[in-house]
Structures are given as structure tokens and as C-alpha cells.
């Protein structure tokens, strides 16, 4: 039996494609002290089924038909091969729809997937490969209208974690095909019924390669009513302060998540041509997964939102923030540490001195998620003021008689004499005076 050379090339390309898609997520950033990131299942999907999960998602935009000439159609949305796929295609004939008090003309099919629930704050990320056309690959949130601070005004919100297209061209928005682009809009209608698009400073991450060349991870942390941070692959974050001239805390309402492929008419972008819309190797946006995380207290068991431990959100680990730490002599040592756990785990701690003599050992439950905490290690006596105490930390399976370590880390603790520490503090106070 002869092997078709073209088939071998196609198989090799598909293997490379799927290998790209299976890379481990960058995961959420370090949580605030005393908090833990846990998966928010209402805004998370691995898209490993055979159809869209209609308990979480709409296969259309409930309140928007699409930007002309691109219409959102459920027929363009599918889940297969481990991806959410949104296909752009040329319609066989023009479609006229009456909406918003006017007639809209459509001749290109796109798609939108929208969360059924709304959420306030959190970290969200998606791994996306844009279509190699000028149709968009977007990941954003928005809310409907809300009453303003006056009886006669109103506002709505839009938070764009990422917007892109898959190829460049001779148009103003050519840069949109490269890197990551993040915006926030405070849509305000004043008492004179005049509408305003108030935006914060745009956040951009540069990449010379078009976004359709491979998968990228786009993340956004909606921190509070005033600020957000953005994450592109494994790069350092960039931060944004929302427009706050109308309201001091503008982003104060829950929003719905939206995964959308739409058209951008010229001169901003140009419409996709018929050839690329007919090419199945170019006309599909791939969403490998989308994940939402919420902050809970470190000791909150969070039994109502367990994640699937078979989904590798991150590498399980235990971490100290530095190699050494200076502490005052006391019967309770406050130890800062962080851990990542796919399911509930046990953390084992053992402290010994420079001679290898064990001082104390203990263990506690580490609830699933990414946690940042300060653990109070209790001692039977005050330690001598000297350097060289070692604290070993291990993360391992819970309720196992002879557990195998998943990860470990060691911290060197230098103990300062209490009297010396008090004298130093007193001297500092006198100097400051």
C-alpha cells in the first residue's frame, strides 16, 4: 500500500497543531495574601465534548445581531476536536434583518458564544488561535445599561481582554493582527441623551508574528471597580485604570463573557475576501479553552466549586517567596508561602537547626487552588538567636498513609534576638524624630 505524501504532510501539520493546543496554561497571577484562586466553573470550559454546553453558553449573542455585514449565526459555532470553533463564511445571498429600528444588510456569517451568567471581578484567560482572515478573534465582557448617578443618565460597560484579526493588510488597523490588544469602555449617555465612549489608555503587547500563526494565552484580571491587569503568554503584566471622570468606581456591575468572531469594515480593517472565507484552513477561530478564577479565603473549603483534577490548570508546587527570611525570636513564627494544588492536598512542614536536630514538624490541609498565605508555625520554646534554621515544606496527597511528595521547598530562617530587635526599633524611632 502506497502512502500519499500529501496525507503525510497533512498529518504532520495536524500533529503540530494539536501539540500547540495542549501546552499548559500560564495560569492566574499570584493572589493577594490570605487569598486563593479557585476555578469558576460558570466561566470555564475545556471544549472537549461534542457540542456546546448549553447550561453555560448561548450559541449566539442575545442582544446583538452582529456588526454589518457580519451576522452572528449559531450554525457557525461548533465544538469538536477539543476546540470551540467559530467559522467565518460568505452567505449564499444577502440577508436583510429589521432590528434596532432599521434594516440591516448581512452577507458574511460569523459567530458569538456568550455566558449565561454574569460575574463581578476575577481572573480570566483563554488560549486562542485566530482565523487567518480579517474577521476577529475576541475575548471580552460587557453589561447592559444601568442607571447613572443622576435620574436622567445611564451607562453600560465593556471590558476587552483581547481583540485581534488573523492577517494584516493596507488599512488603519493593520497592527490589530499582531500581539495582544486590550481596552475598556465606559459607555455613557448623559442627561441630554448624548452618547459618549469613554476609554482608558489602551494596553498593547507587541509580537511581530500574526495571531493566526499559533495559539496564544490572553488573560485579564478585573481587580476591582477601578483597575485591571493584562497578561500575554508568560510576559509581565500591564495595568490599566478605568476611565473614572463620571464615576469614581466605574466598573461596578457584573458582566457577561463573550467569545466572538465578527467583521470590521474599512477603513479600520477591511472585510475578508471570498477566497479566504471559502478556505477551511483559514476561516476558523479556535478557542482551546477558557478559564475563569475567583478569589476565596485561603481556609475556605469551597466545596461547591471543585475543579476536575484531570485538567492540568498548572503544575502543582509549593513555594517560598525567597531563599531566606529574618524573623524575631518568638514561640510563633509567621511563615509566608504559596502553593498550587489541583485538588485538596496536605502540606507537611519540618523545622530543624544547623546541627540537624528536629525542632518541630506539623501538617495542614491545603485546599485546591493557587494560594498565598502566612502560616503560623507554633513552637514549644523560643529559638536561640542564630542563623541556619531550615524549614522543609512538602505538598503531597491528602489522607494517604505513605504519601509520595508532589513537590518540596526549603527556607533558611535567621532568628534575631528579641531584645536586639527591640533596641533596633527604638533607635529607628529616635532617628526618625
Amino acid at each position: 500500500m502506497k502512502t500519499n505524501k500529501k496525507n503525510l504532510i497533512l498529518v504532520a501539520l495536524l500533529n503540530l497543531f494539536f501539540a500547540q493546543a495542549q501546552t499548559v496554561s500560564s495560569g492566574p497571577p499570584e493572589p493577594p495574601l490570605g487569598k486563593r484562586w479557585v476555578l469558576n466553573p460558570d466561566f470555564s470550559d475545556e471544549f472537549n465534548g461534542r457540542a456546546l454546553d448549553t447550561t453555560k453558553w448561548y450559541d449566539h449573542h442575545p442582544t446583538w445581531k452582529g456588526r454589518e455585514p457580519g451576522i452572528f449565526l449559531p450554525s457557525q459555532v461548533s465544538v469538536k476536536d477539543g476546540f470551540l470553533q467559530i467559522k467565518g463564511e460568505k452567505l449564499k445571498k444577502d440577508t436583510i434583518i429589521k432590528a434596532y429600528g432599521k434594516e440591516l444588510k448581512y452577507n458574511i456569517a460569523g459567530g458569538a458564544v456568550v455566558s449565561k451568567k454574569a460575574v463581578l471581578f476575577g481572573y480570566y484567560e483563554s488560549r486562542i488561535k485566530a482565523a487567518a482572515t480579517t474577521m476577529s478573534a475576541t475575548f471580552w465582557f460587557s453589561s447592559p445599561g444601568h442607571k447613572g448617578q443622576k435620574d436622567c443618565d445611564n451607562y453600560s460597560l465593556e471590558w476587552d481582554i483581547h481583540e485581534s484579526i488573523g492577517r494584516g493588510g493596507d488599512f488603519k488597523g493593520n497592527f490589530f493582527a499582531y500581539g495582544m490588544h486590550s481596552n475598556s469602555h465606559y459607555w455613557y449617555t448623559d442627561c441630554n441623551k448624548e452618547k459618549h465612549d469613554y476609554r482608558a489608555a489602551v494596553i498593547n503587547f507587541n509580537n511581530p508574528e500574526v495571531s493566526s500563526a499559533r495559539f496564544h494565552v490572553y488573560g485579564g484580571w478585573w481587580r476591582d471597580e477601578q483597575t485591571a491587569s493584562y497578561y500575554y503568554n508568560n510576559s509581565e503584566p500591564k495595568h490599566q485604570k478605568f476611565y473614572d471622570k463620571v464615576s469614581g468606581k466605574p466598573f461596578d456591575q457584573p458582566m457577561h463573557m463573550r467569545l466572538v468572531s465578527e467583521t470590521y469594515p474599512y477603513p479600520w480593517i477591511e472585510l475578508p475576501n471570498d477566497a479566504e472565507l471559502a478556505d477551511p484552513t483559514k476561516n476558523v477561530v479556535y478557542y482551546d479553552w477558557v478559564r475563569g478564577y475567583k478569589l476565596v479565603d485561603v481556609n475556605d473549603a469551597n466545596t461547591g466549586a471543585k475543579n476536575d483534577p484531570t485538567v492540568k490548570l498548572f503544575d502543582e508546587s509549593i513555594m517560598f517567596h525567597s531563599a531566606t527570611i529574618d524573623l524575631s525570636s518568638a514561640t510563633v513564627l509567621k511563615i509566608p508561602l504559596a502553593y498550587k494544588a489541583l485538588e485538596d492536598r496536605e502540606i507537611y512542614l519540618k523545622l530543624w537547626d544547623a546541627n540537624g536536630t528536629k525542632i518541630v514538624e506539623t501538617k495542614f490541609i491545603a485546599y485546591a487552588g493557587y494560594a498565598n498565605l502566612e502560616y503560623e508555625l507554633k513552637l514549644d520554646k523560643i529559638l536561640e538567636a542564630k542563623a541556619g534554621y531550615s524549614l522543609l515544606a512538602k505538598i503531597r496527597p491528602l489522607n494517604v498513609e505513605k504519601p509520595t511528595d508532589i513537590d518540596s521547598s526549603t527556607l533558611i530562617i535567621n532568628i534575631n534576638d528579641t531584645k536586639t530587635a527591640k533596641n533596633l526599633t527604638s533607635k529607628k524611632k529616635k532617628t526618625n524624630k
Side-chain angles (χ1 to χ4, degrees), residues 43-74:
F43 302 87
S44 303
D45 203 322
E46 300 301 309
F47 302 120
N48 289 331
R50 296 183 179 181
L52 191 67
D53 184 349
T54 56
T55 66
K56 295 182 182 182
W57 311 105
Y58 293 107
D59 62 1
H60 59 283
H61 197 298
T63 60
W64 185 29
K65 301 297 182 182
R67 181 183 289 107
E68 292 178 277
I71 187 171
F72 298 141
L73 297 177

Side-chain angles (χ1 to χ4, degrees), residues 124-310:
Y124 307 90
E125 62 179 2
S126 185
R127 198 161 189 273
I128 307 168
K129 183 177 182 294
T133 73
T134 56
M135 293 195 73
S136 72
T138 63
F139 174 37
W140 51 290
F141 288 72
S142 69
S143 72
H146 306 284
K147 187 176 180 181
Q149 295 177 325
K150 306 171 184 177
D151 291 335
C152 52
D153 63 343
N154 63 78
Y155 69 99
S156 60
L157 305 172
E158 180 180 336
W159 181 44
D160 303 316
I161 294 178
H162 175 63
E163 295 180 281
S164 74
I165 56 176
R167 71 160 173 84
D170 186 16
F171 42 79
K172 290 181 179 179
N174 176 65
F175 66 90
F176 228 42
Y178 309 90
M180 177 175 172
H181 308 280
S182 308
N183 294 285
S184 63
H185 303 255
Y186 187 81
W187 300 98
Y188 181 64
T189 301
D190 62 27
C191 291
N192 296 320
K193 305 306 176 185
E194 186 176 350
K195 296 183 178 181
H196 307 268
D197 176 8
Y198 291 130
R199 306 186 185 194
V202 175
I203 299 295
N204 293 313
F205 293 84
N206 297 321
N207 188 336
E209 185 178 70
V210 290
S211 59
S212 59
R214 68 187 69 247
F215 284 90
H216 297 280
V217 177
Y218 307 96
W221 182 0
W222 182 10
R223 291 175 175 267
D224 51 37
E225 297 94 337
Q226 298 171 303
T227 57
S229 299
Y230 301 93
Y231 302 79
Y232 180 49
N233 296 326
N234 294 316
S235 62
E236 289 297 312
K238 294 184 179 182
H239 310 289
Q240 183 183 66
K241 190 174 187 295
F242 299 134
Y243 181 90
D244 62 356
K245 299 300 186 293
V246 176
S247 169
K249 295 184 176 181
F251 276 66
D252 60 346
Q253 299 293 331
M255 294 190 285
H256 292 265
M257 180 188 288
R258 309 182 193 277
L259 311 173
V260 176
S261 183
E262 61 190 287
T263 53
Y264 294 125
Y266 190 84
W268 171 232
I269 309 288
E270 68 183 15
L271 295 177
N273 59 57
D274 292 355
E276 62 193 13
L277 286 176
D279 188 341
T281 67
K282 294 182 177 180
N283 65 0
V284 179
V285 180
Y286 294 91
Y287 292 84
D288 186 10
W289 44 254
V290 62
R291 294 167 186 161
Y293 296 86
K294 59 183 178 180
L295 286 171
V296 298
D297 291 338
V298 165
N299 294 320
D300 180 354
N302 194 48
T303 54
K306 295 292 184 182
N307 59 277
D308 183 352
T310 63

Side-chain angles (χ1 to χ4, degrees), residues 88-103:
E89 286 185 300
K90 189 68 179 285
L91 294 176
K92 292 180 180 180
K93 62 179 182 178
D94 291 350
T95 298
I96 306 297
I97 292 180
K98 291 183 178 180
Y100 324 119
K102 57 184 178 178
E103 285 191 347

